[in-house]
Amino acid sequence: MAMIIKKTGRLLGRYILKGTIAVVSRLSLETGLALGRKLGGVMMTFGKRRYNVAQKNLKIAYGDSMTEAERQRIARESFQHFGMFAIEVI
């Protein structure tokens, strides 16, 4: 039973990926990058642990020379850029 669930999940994932590629490949670059920025925001929201790691790493790297707001901005923009990269690769 577990094997059937695993195979079904993989098949579903494959179809979702193919559908995403089909949609994204038809978008203009500007629209795709805007979508990528939103995707990065979603990844940041649902990947809070990774966002917190980014915050901690920035604190370690820059110490008190960077304000909390600057660290938050850099971490947020990093997630947005990753989302844009993901869309460009598709």
Side-chain angles (χ1 to χ4, degrees):
M1 182 66 167
M3 193 61 141
I4 293 171
I5 293 172
K6 186 183 268 189
K7 285 184 178 183
T8 303
R10 287 181 180 165
L11 185 64
L12 181 62
R14 195 173 307 133
Y15 283 118
I16 289 172
L17 181 59
K18 285 182 179 184
T20 302
I21 291 170
V23 170
V24 169
S25 65
R26 288 172 172 72
L27 298 175
S28 69
L29 180 60
E30 184 178 311
T31 303
L33 293 178
L35 177 64
R37 280 189 289 278
K38 295 294 183 189
L39 175 64
V42 169
M43 289 187 307
M44 186 179 77
T45 301
F46 288 106
K48 273 296 185 194
R49 189 175 64 141
R50 294 191 184 278
Y51 177 75
N52 291 335
V53 168
Q55 288 282 331
K56 183 179 177 182
N57 288 341
L58 288 166
K59 176 76 172 168
I60 291 168
Y62 294 101
D64 294 331
S65 68
M66 185 179 287
T67 66
E68 179 69 22
E70 289 173 315
R71 285 194 298 272
Q72 289 175 351
R73 180 187 57 77
I74 290 172
R76 181 183 65 251
E77 289 178 358
S78 294
F79 275 83
Q80 290 173 341
H81 283 273
F82 183 77
M84 291 165 59
F85 167 75
I87 295 296
E88 281 185 290
V89 170
I90 290 176

